[in-house]
Amino acid sequence: MSESAITLWSDTAYFSPYVLSAWVALHEKGVPFALKTVDLENGGQQAPGWPGFSLTQRVPVLEIEGFTLSESTAIDEYLEERFAPPEWQRIYPHDLHNRARARQIQAWLRSDLLPIREERSTTVVFAGARKGPLSPAGQASAAKLFTVADELLAHGKPNLFGEWCIADVDLALMLNRLVLNGDSVPERLADYATFQWQRSSVQRFIALSAKRAG
């Protein structure tokens, strides 16, 4: 499939954690794609001519052979089915229960922990910003994140399920909102987040953010 057949739409700053998830999925699959941006700050997502306008008016948006899809988890799951293993690299676990757990983790990270997302925006992760102390609500969310992550990683392995999957990126992103701000994070969880951040596909996205910021 040619690069022109697939387009991923991002915010112009490359600060979206959800674009990161879809970007990594495409790179891990080894699927060629074109990257385009929409200016969210100036309301580009509300322009009727933009492909995501009739969907959720949010990024990421995937265009592939006339089909348009938004929401990062939907994109991740679609790519796993469209470019299925073993011909293509797997981005969800082999085991049925672990696949379900990975999807659970992704859904949880997108629907909970709002104080962390508000008080530790991705400018911390991608632009080196520093924020003040967490509010009581932020501290409670961080404690919840640590409890859940500690249980998920109780096996002591560097990935959630003993093999890398797309949920590792999403969990590491949430932890790195705190780690990269200098907040107190349990050492094992900080090490996990740092390890996941070194993955080539993640580093390539970070380079986009750094280039834009520079």
Side-chain angles (χ1 to χ4, degrees):
M1 180 174 291
S2 68
E3 179 176 315
S4 61
I6 304 178
T7 299
L8 180 68
W9 286 88
S10 170
D11 59 300
T12 55
Y14 307 109
F15 283 177
S16 168
Y18 312 118
V19 172
L20 168 66
S21 187
W23 160 280
V24 168
L26 283 161
H27 273 277
E28 294 291 339
K29 284 289 183 185
V31 177
F33 66 98
L35 181 65
K36 294 184 180 181
T37 60
V38 58
D39 190 348
L40 303 183
E41 291 188 3
N42 290 314
Q45 71 276 23
Q46 297 172 348
W50 180 56
F53 175 76
S54 61
L55 300 173
T56 58
Q57 298 182 23
R58 302 196 296 184
V59 293
V61 168
L62 181 75
E63 291 184 279
I64 177 168
E65 297 182 335
F67 177 63
T68 308
L69 184 66
S70 65
E71 298 302 306
S72 58
T73 50
I75 291 171
D76 292 346
E77 292 181 22
Y78 171 80
L79 291 171
E80 182 76 325
E81 294 186 17
R82 175 69 182 264
F83 303 100
E87 180 180 359
W88 301 86
Q89 174 68 30
R90 184 181 296 277
I91 62 171
Y92 281 95
H94 288 74
D95 179 76
L96 173 65
H97 290 170
N98 287 344
R99 285 199 302 276
R101 185 72 70 207
R103 293 184 175 104
Q104 172 195 310
I105 293 166
Q106 287 187 297
W108 172 60
L109 291 170
R110 286 158 173 75
S111 61
D112 200 355
L113 308 175
L114 179 60
I116 296 177
R117 287 185 274 130
E118 289 183 335
E119 298 178 35
R120 298 290 181 265
S121 72
T122 52
T123 59
V124 170
V125 177
F126 299 123
R130 289 294 180 269
K131 308 292 184 179
L134 289 169
S135 68
Q139 293 174 27
S141 284
K144 182 177 183 180
L145 172 63
F146 299 157
T147 297
V148 174
D150 192 61
E151 178 65 25
L152 290 168
L153 296 167
H155 49 61
K157 297 176 182 177
N159 300 313
L160 281 165
F161 305 106
E163 56 177 329
W164 178 88
C165 75
I166 193 64
D168 282 301
V169 173
D170 295 326
L171 180 57
L173 182 284
M174 187 62 76
L175 288 166
N176 271 330
R177 290 176 185 266
L178 301 167
V179 173
L180 296 175
N181 192 68
D183 295 303
S184 179
V185 177
E187 183 178 4
R188 184 158 66 93
L189 301 185
D191 289 345
Y192 162 81
T194 299
F195 175 77
Q196 294 300 328
W197 228 233
Q198 298 311 306
R199 198 167 184 88
S200 174
S201 54
V202 175
Q203 284 295 306
R204 292 177 72 175
F205 186 85
I206 292 171
L208 285 177
S209 302
K211 183 177 179 180
R212 181 68 178 180

